[in-house]
């Protein structure tokens, strides 16, 4: 049954956080490090139609969770996420809908240059091409992920106060490229990466074959299936055991059949992996994501929260990778604009959901035992990424893969001890209980 979603709220991503979260506040651009340029401007909110989502009747997804890692930039990335078994949908209200004026330009040339000047580097796509198609969803998505990368990098650089992001720009010979920004061995962060990919070309035969295996047969033209894929992906590993690891990614994909029919979808999510459980942090993180989802409807967060818990599951350990967040994929209704609006709102929630938690804990005192437990928990993180994450696995076994970007998600250090088991009723055992039995953090 389709569920209606309400009108977007007007608050920007830098709004003050809830006052009941102690000393935590949203990150402000006023205190940004001088090492990076100013934050991108935030466009005024526009009225949009209501959105909704419903369970898939077919049960099979075209592409799934692995596209995030694949978007780090390797050949044949379109197939990275094949095989997921859920699907996210948004459907319009039956009446009272409003849509943006088709003739309105969101950005003129000068505004586009101003926005781009605030990015970590220039967009992957040439500005002349972006100016030709200001209303195209690919242009809007590329600018949004570039802004997200810049906002997250600046927020993290401000918190760290010592280390800089290395900006690594790369090209993909088959079409497109990406920008990988990595901060390593800082005061606060052991490793933080924020990667952009904007790639295009033709689906490989392996990708098309996997699609057929999921019951989706696409019409090729001269043996080719043109595709475009883009996204932003990030994993952040702080040094302090009491500051949690965080991962997010948001992506867009489209493929064109021989008859000109274009299939498109969005996907993404954001999740938290603490070493030790802090109830206040967990509530804050989930509540911030819920507030973002609630701008589009009250039933989205519960659905995508469960989806996240189900996906980030380490089967052989019987536990989740972390305390979850939200996750969705194959979001392709009711329109590109409304689905994009939802993804944009989620991306804007990244910094206020996470950065205040790191600021709160980055200088906490800790013992060698605390650090040991962090290393063991990072071992679980590595296990999930290498054994279960579809994008990572596909990337590692795809010729032409950019291995450095694919493995950006892994921590600098991790540890495996034989038969390690924490004492009963310890704080280490406390987090394991939550990882084995996910909780509702917002009710």
């Amino acid at each position: 049954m389709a569920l209606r979603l309400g009108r977007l709220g007007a608050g920007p991503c830098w709004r003050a956080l809830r006052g009941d979260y102690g000393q935590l506040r949203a990150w402000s651009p006023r205190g940004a490090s001088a090492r990076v340029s100013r934050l991108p401007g935030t466009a005024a909110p526009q009225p949009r139609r209501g959105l909704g989502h419903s369970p898939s009747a077919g049960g099979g997804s075209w592409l799934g969770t692995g596209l995030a890692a694949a978007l780090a930039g390797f050949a044949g990335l379109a197939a990275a996420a094949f095989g997921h078994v859920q699907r996210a949908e948004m459907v319009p209200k039956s009446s009272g809908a409003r849509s943006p004026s088709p003739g309105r330009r969101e950005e003129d040339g000068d505004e586009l240059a101003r926005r781009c000047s605030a990015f970590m580097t220039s967009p992957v796509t040439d500005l002349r091409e972006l100016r030709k198609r200001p209303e195209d969803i690919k242009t809007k998505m590329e600018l949004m992920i570039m802004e997200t990368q810049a906002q997250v990098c600046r927020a993290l650089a401000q918190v760290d106060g010592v280390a800089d992001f290395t900006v690594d720009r790369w090209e993909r010979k088959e079409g497109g490229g990406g920008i990988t920004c990595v901060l390593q061995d800082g005061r606060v962060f052991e490793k933080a990466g924020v990667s952009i990919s904007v790639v295009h070309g033709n689906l490989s035969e392996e990708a098309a074959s996997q699609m057929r295996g999921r019951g989706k047969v696409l019409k090729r033209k001269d043996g080719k299936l043109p595709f475009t894929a883009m996204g932003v992906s990030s994993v952040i590993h702080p040094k302090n055991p009491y500051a949690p690891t965080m991962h997010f990614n948001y992506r867009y994909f489209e493929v064109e059949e021989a008859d000109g029919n274009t299939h498109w979808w969005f996907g993404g999510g954001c999740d938290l992996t603490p070493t030790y459980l802090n109830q206040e942090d967990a509530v804050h993180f989930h509540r911030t994501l819920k507030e973002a989802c609630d701008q589009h409807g009250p039933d989205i967060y519960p659905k995508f929260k469960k989806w996240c818990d189900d996906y980030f599951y380490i089967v052989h350990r019987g536990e989740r990778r972390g305390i979850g967040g939200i996750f969705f994929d194959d979001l392709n209704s009711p329109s590109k604009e409304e689905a994009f609006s939802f993804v944009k709102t989620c991306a804007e929630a990244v910094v206020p959901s996470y950065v205040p938690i790191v600021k709160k804990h980055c200088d906490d005192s800790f013992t060698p035992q605390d650090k040991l437990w962090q290393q063991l928990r990072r071992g679980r993180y590595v296990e999930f990424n290498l054994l279960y994450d579809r994008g990572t696995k596909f990337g590692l076994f795809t010729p032409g893969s950019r291995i450095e970007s694919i493995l950006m998600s892994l921590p600098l250090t991790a540890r495996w001890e034989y038969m390690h088991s924490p004492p009963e009723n310890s704080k280490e055992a406390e987090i394991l209980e939550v990882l084995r039995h996910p909780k509702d953090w917002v009710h």
Side-chain angles (χ1 to χ4, degrees):
M1 181 175 65
L3 302 173
R4 293 186 178 183
L5 298 174
R7 181 182 178 275
L8 282 177
C13 67
W14 310 114
R15 65 188 183 281
L17 297 178
R18 297 176 64 94
D20 56 357
Y21 190 59
Q23 300 299 313
L24 297 189
R25 294 293 183 268
W27 180 80
S28 168
R30 290 189 178 91
S33 167
R35 295 190 299 272
V36 289
S37 56
R38 69 186 184 281
L39 282 167
T42 302
Q46 300 294 326
R48 291 180 174 89
R49 290 185 290 168
L51 303 174
H53 68 281
S54 64
S56 170
S61 159
W62 296 21
L63 296 182
T65 57
L67 186 57
L71 284 174
F74 56 87
L77 87 160
F82 289 6
H84 199 65
V85 296
Q86 282 185 280
R87 180 174 186 230
E89 293 181 335
M90 289 186 168
V91 296
K93 291 181 180 179
S94 58
S95 62
R98 297 183 63 185
S99 59
S101 170
R104 183 180 64 82
R105 288 175 60 96
E106 182 181 45
E107 307 289 347
D108 60 23
D110 292 339
E111 175 63 9
L112 177 62
R114 186 196 68 78
R115 290 180 69 183
C116 293
S117 70
F119 299 159
M120 300 301 288
T121 184
S122 57
V124 174
T125 304
D126 189 272
L127 289 185
R128 291 170 294 184
E129 178 64 24
L130 295 176
R131 285 194 175 98
K132 291 178 183 177
R133 47 179 173 88
E135 296 301 321
D136 191 299
I137 203 67
K138 294 190 291 293
T139 297
K140 294 181 179 181
M141 185 68 180
E142 182 168 354
L143 294 177
M144 188 276 282
I145 61 177
M146 293 292 300
E147 284 185 338
T148 300
Q149 181 185 54
Q151 290 167 352
V152 173
C153 287
R154 292 190 179 96
L156 299 180
Q158 180 194 4
V159 172
D160 193 274
V162 172
D164 291 312
F165 275 91
T166 298
V167 177
D168 180 14
R169 190 181 185 96
W170 50 269
E171 293 184 0
R172 177 177 176 269
K173 66 178 182 179
E174 295 84 356
I179 301 152
T180 300
C181 296
V182 177
L183 182 155
Q184 215 164 252
D185 284 324
R187 183 187 71 87
V188 173
F189 300 106
E190 182 176 284
K191 187 179 181 184
V194 190
S195 185
I196 293 292
S197 281
V198 180
V199 300
H200 55 84
N202 292 296
L203 285 183
S204 67
E205 177 54 37
E206 182 176 3
S209 176
Q210 291 188 52
M211 276 190 173
R212 288 193 294 272
R214 300 300 297 177
K216 197 68 182 178
V217 180
L218 299 175
K219 305 179 188 70
R220 290 175 172 269
K221 182 178 182 180
D222 299 326
K224 297 179 179 179
L225 276 172
F227 80 93
T228 299
M230 60 185 70
V232 55
S233 182
S234 175
V235 178
I236 303 160
H237 295 289
K239 287 185 171 180
N240 195 299
Y242 291 96
T245 287
M246 193 268 283
H247 155 261
F248 77 88
N249 73 81
Y250 292 102
R251 55 197 181 271
Y252 173 74
F253 184 95
E254 69 176 38
V255 61
E256 182 180 346
E257 293 187 273
D259 58 7
N261 189 29
T262 299
H263 301 275
W264 58 269
W265 53 92
F266 292 88
C270 185
D271 61 281
L272 196 69
T273 305
T275 300
Y276 290 103
L277 181 63
N278 183 294
Q279 298 276 346
E280 189 179 51
D281 296 346
V283 170
H284 165 75
F285 182 78
H286 277 268
R287 182 173 289 162
T288 306
L289 298 184
K290 180 180 183 298
E291 288 174 351
C293 291
D294 284 354
Q295 294 183 47
H296 301 264
D299 299 298
I300 294 180
Y301 168 78
K303 177 183 176 71
F304 293 171
K305 191 267 187 188
K306 183 180 185 304
W307 199 340
C308 186
D309 289 336
D310 291 343
Y311 177 68
F312 291 103
Y313 182 61
I314 308 173
V315 179
H316 63 279
R317 299 286 188 181
E319 62 190 41
R320 277 74 187 169
R321 188 177 75 176
I323 62 169
I326 59 171
F327 177 84
F328 60 94
D329 219 338
D330 285 351
L331 180 65
N332 64 355
S333 63
S335 71
K336 288 183 182 180
E337 285 292 340
E338 289 162 310
F340 170 73
S341 173
F342 171 70
V343 170
K344 184 173 184 292
T345 303
C346 292
E348 289 174 344
V350 168
V351 169
S353 72
Y354 177 65
V355 169
I357 297 175
V358 177
K359 292 175 72 173
K360 176 184 176 184
H361 294 292
C362 65
D363 294 318
D364 286 359
S365 60
F366 59 88
T367 67
Q369 181 63 32
D370 296 336
K371 192 67 179 177
L372 170 63
W373 181 243
Q374 181 194 48
Q375 296 295 295
L376 292 170
R377 295 313 308 167
R378 284 182 174 174
R380 299 290 202 269
Y381 204 95
V382 172
E383 288 176 22
F384 177 86
N385 282 30
L386 295 184
L387 296 178
Y388 296 110
D389 187 81
R390 293 180 180 90
T392 302
K393 290 168 61 178
F394 189 90
L396 292 175
F397 292 100
T398 299
S401 299
R402 192 169 194 275
I403 300 301
E404 288 299 318
S405 292
I406 294 169
L407 297 183
M408 180 191 72
S409 64
L410 300 184
L412 281 182
T413 59
R415 186 179 179 96
W416 288 265
E417 286 194 4
Y418 184 72
M419 297 295 288
H420 183 277
S421 181
E424 291 186 14
N425 301 318
S426 64
K427 57 185 181 179
E428 289 81 11
E430 179 186 27
I431 185 68
L432 284 181
E433 178 64 21
V434 172
L435 299 179
R436 291 165 181 164
H437 306 285
K439 292 182 59 174
D440 180 351
W441 298 103
V442 296
H443 297 101

